[in-house]
Amino acid sequence: MKYVYSFSKKHVEGDRGMKELLGGKGANLAEMATLGLPVPPGFTCSTEACDAYYKVGKAKLSAAMKPEIDAALEQLEEVTGKTFGKGPNPLLLSVRSGAAVSMPGMMDTVLNLGLTPTTIKALIASSGDERFVLDSYRRFIQMFGNVVMGVDHHDFEHELDAVKKARRAKLDTDLTVDGLKDVIDRYLKVYKRATGKPFPTSPKEQLMAGIDAVFGSWNNPRAIRYRELNDIRGLLGTAVNVQTMVFGNSGPDSATGVAFTRDPSTGEHKYFYGEYLINAQGEDVVAGIRTPQQITLKGSREWAKSQGVSETDRKANYPSLEESMPKAFQELDRIRVRLEKHYKDMQDLEFTIENGELFILQTRNGKRTAQAAVKIATDLVKEKRIPEREAVLRIDPASLDQLLHPVFVKASEDAAQQIAIGLPASPGAATGQVVFTADEAEAWVAKGKQVILCRTETSPEDIGGMDAAAGVLTSRGGMTSHAAVVARQMGTCCVAGVADVNINYKTKRFTCGGVTVKEGDWISLNGSTGAVYKGQIETVEPGLTGPFGTIMKLADKYRKLGVRTNADTPHDTATAVKFGAEGIGLCRTEHMFFEGDRIVSFRRLILVAETVKKLREDCGIEDLTALQKAVGKDVKAVESIKQYKQALRELLPLQRKDFVGIFKALKGRPATIRLLDPPLHEFLPQDAAGQKEMAETMGVKPSEIKRLVESLHEFNPMLGHRGCRLGMTYPDVTAMQTRAVCEAAAAVKGSKPEIMIPLVGNVKELANQKEIVKRTIAEVEAKKGVKLSILIGTMIEVPRAAVTAGEIAEEAEFFSFGTNDLTQMGCGFSRDDAGKFLKDYVAMGIYEKDPFQVLDQAGVGKLVEMATVNGRKARKDLKVGICGEHGGEPSSVAFCHKVGLDYVSCSPYRVPIARLAAAQAAIRS
Ligand code: PEP
Ligand code: MG
C-alpha cells in the first residue's frame, strides 16, 4: 500500500478530491501546489497509514512507511536545495495533523523539527541570526517534549518564567541569546528528567516519533470528545502533513496570520478579514497570547474604533498588514481572490511571511456561523458563482437552529449597564450566571442553571463547558482564537478578547473598570456587537428575514414535502406559522387539560368514568339523563353521573376556546387534532395533598380518591389504557372533543380541522371511533346549520397498524406516522426507560444513532414504507405524514421524501430545518 504523497511545484500526487485519503489540509496543499501558489513543499502520510497505525501497531507501520518517507525526503531536499539534518542549509520540517473533516486544535502539531546541535550551528551560520535559531530550538524542545513524549507543558513554562524573572525579561521576545541558552539548558534537563532519555539528536528519529505522535493524537480524549460533539464518524483517522518550515518569527519583516475571504461571523465581504502577528510563529495568532493585528487598513480602523484605540496608537502599535508589508499584502489579496474563485466558497487561509516572502500554509472552506453560511450562500448566488440548488445544499439544516436563537430586546439592551466591549466573535445574545471553569459550566447547567463561561482564554479541554454555556467571554485572543472558532461552530454566543476584564480564578471574580463581578452574578453578552453588560437582559425570538428568508424561499421552491408543525397552543402555532409551517400535523389535546383549573375538571371526569361505565352496562342505558333517572334513589350513583356530566360540561367550552385560538392562528391552514392519547393515571393526583384537594372538590373522602387512583394504576402504562382505547371505553370523551373541534370550526371561518384517532392497532378500533366522530359532526352540523368538511384519519404507531395498513386505509382518510411509539413498539424500547442503555447501544454501534432521535430506517422505516405503499393501494388519495420527533430531523426528513410522504410535522423551531432538509432531499434525488 502507498502511504506517502508528495506535493511541491515539481511533483504533486494529490488533489482536492482526495480528502478522505490525504485529509482536508493535505488535499488542499496538493491542489494549491498544482495551482502554482507559494506552498512550502512537503508530503502527506495518508489516513490509511493512520488506520494501519491502530490496526498493526506503530512499529510495523513505521517499517512499512520508512522507505517511502526516505524517498519523499530526498525529493524534498532536491526541490528546496536544503538537507535534512545537515548544513550548510538545513531542512527543517513541520509535522501537522489533518483529518478529512477539520477539527481545529484537537490534534497535535510539532514545528521546527530537524533541529540538532549540528543543524543549529549550520543554521546560525546561514541565517546569521543566533537568537532566532535558539528561540526556534527552545520552542521545538517544548513542543516535541509535550506532544511526542507527554512531558507536562507547565514544567517547561515554569523554567521559562524562572529565566525571564531572573533576567528581568517581560516578554519572551525580551530574552537575549544568553537567556535563551539558559532556557534551552533547563528545557533539556526537564526533558531528560521526565523521559529518562536525552533529547533526540537524530532528525529521522525526531521525524518518525513526530509522525507517530500525530497519529496517536487522533484518539486523545479531546479529539474523541470533539468527534462525538460534532457527530464526526466513519473516518479512517488523521493524515500527517510534513512540510518545509517557513519562519514567521525570523525578524521584523516576517509574520504569520490567519485570514478569511469573507467574514466568518456575519458572511459580509466588505473587506478581507483576518489577523496577523509580526515576528511570530505557528500557534501564536490562534493562542491568543498577543493581540493580533488586522490584515486590511479598513479592518484595522474598524477594530481600533471598537476597542477604543486611537488612530495614532493603532498606527504605531497595531498597523494593518496592508500598511506594514504592502507587497506581501497585495500578493495575499490576489491569492484570496484566486482561491475563492477556484473553490467557489469562503476560504480560511493560513499564511506566513518569511523575510518578506509570502507562503500559504493552508486553505479550506472556512468554518462559519449559520448566519454567515446563509449570507455567503445567497451572496454567491447573486454573484453568479453558484446555482440556487448549490446554495440550498451548502447550508447544514441543523445549523439553522442558531439563527432561531434569541436576540436582545432593543429597549432592554439600551437600558442595560454596559461594562466592557470585546470582539463580536460568535453572534446571538446570551444572558447567564458567571462561572469560571468549563467543569463548573457543565455542573451548573446540569442543575438547570444558565451560565456564561468566563476565561482568560479557552483551550480544547473546555469544549464541554463551552457547549453547555449560554455564552462565552474571554479576556484575551482575537477572532480566530480557540474560543471564537469553536463557539462559532457550536452556535454559542461568544465575546472574545475583552481586554478590560481581569479574571482572578482564585477569588472567582473578575473586575472591569470599577465593576466587580463574582461567580453566580448575572451578565449578558451580545455576540454580534461584542458588548458585555451587567445583569440580565430580556431576549426576543428572531424572524425569518434577510438572507435567511432568501434561503427559506429557495428551499420552498425546491422541496416536494409539505412541512407542518406539532403545536397545541395558539402561541406555538403562531410561532410555527412565522417559521413557515403550512399547518398543524399534530395537536396533542391532552396538553390542554393541564392548564389552570382544567385539571380539576378532567380529574373529576376520570375518577367517575369507570363507575358511570359500569352503571351503563348494568342498566343497558347509554343516554346519561335517562341513566340518571333509571338509577333513581341510589345517591352515590346519581352523584357520579352528575359529576361526570359536570366535567364534560366544563371541559367542552375550554377545549372549544383552545381550538378557536389555534384555528385563528392558522389563518385557513389545516390542523390535525389528535384525540386524547396518554394513560389516564398521568393526570391523577398521586400525592396525598393533591388527593385531599380533589376529595374536597368532589365532596368525598380522601381515602376514596386514593382508592380510585390506585385502581387506575397500570404496570405498563405506555402499552396500557391509552390512545383510542380510552375513547373505546369512554366514548363521551371522543364525542366531547369532536364537538369542541366542530363548534370551533363552525365559529372560525376557513378553518380546516382533521380529526386523528391515536394508537389504532386494529381497523375495528378505528371504525368504532370514526362512527362516534361522524355522528358528532352530523349533530353539530344540524344544530349550527353548517356544513363541515372534516377529514378523519389515524396515527400509525402500532406495528400491527403498519402491517395491516391496507385494511386501515379503508377507514382512514389520512395516516400520520407516530414514529415515537412506532419506534417504541417496533424496536421494543420503552420510551421511558431506554435512555439508560441506548447511549451504550450507540457507543457499541448496535444502532448508529439513538432511534428515538434519528429514524431507524432499516427497521421502523421499513414499517413506514410498507404502510404507505399498502395504504395508498387501498385508498389512492390517502394523505400521509409523520408527526413523531423524527419529522424535524434532517436525515429522517430525507427518508420521508424518499418514501413519498406528503408532509412532515415537527416542533415550531424545527420547521425551518425541516423545510431546508426537505429541499436538500429533493435536490439530491
Ligand atoms: C408518536 O408516537 O410518534 C407521537 C407523535 O405521539 P406521542 O409522542 O404523543 O405519543
Ligand atoms: Mg404516540
Side-chain angles (χ1 to χ4, degrees), residues 586 588 674 677 722 795 797 818-821 831 883-884:
L586 172 64
R588 289 179 166 104
R674 178 180 74 184
D677 180 65
R722 60 170 288 217
M795 293 192 72
E797 47 188 348
T819 41
N820 303 333
D821 275 309
R831 283 168 76 169
C883 62

Side-chain angles (χ1 to χ4, degrees), residues 613 622 675 723-735 738 755 757-758 760-776 792-794 808 811-812:
K613 176 169 177 272
E622 268 305 301
L675 302 185
C724 66
R725 300 160 199 173
L726 294 171
M728 298 290 290
T729 40
Y730 311 132
D732 299 298
V733 178
T734 303
T738 305
I755 290 181
I757 316 293
V760 163
N762 186 314
V763 67
K764 291 178 195 160
E765 293 171 311
L766 178 58
N768 172 298
Q769 291 294 290
K770 192 174 154 188
E771 208 280 312
I772 301 170
V773 171
K774 281 180 89 168
R775 188 180 351 119
T776 311
I792 304 170
T794 183
I808 290 179
E811 293 288 343

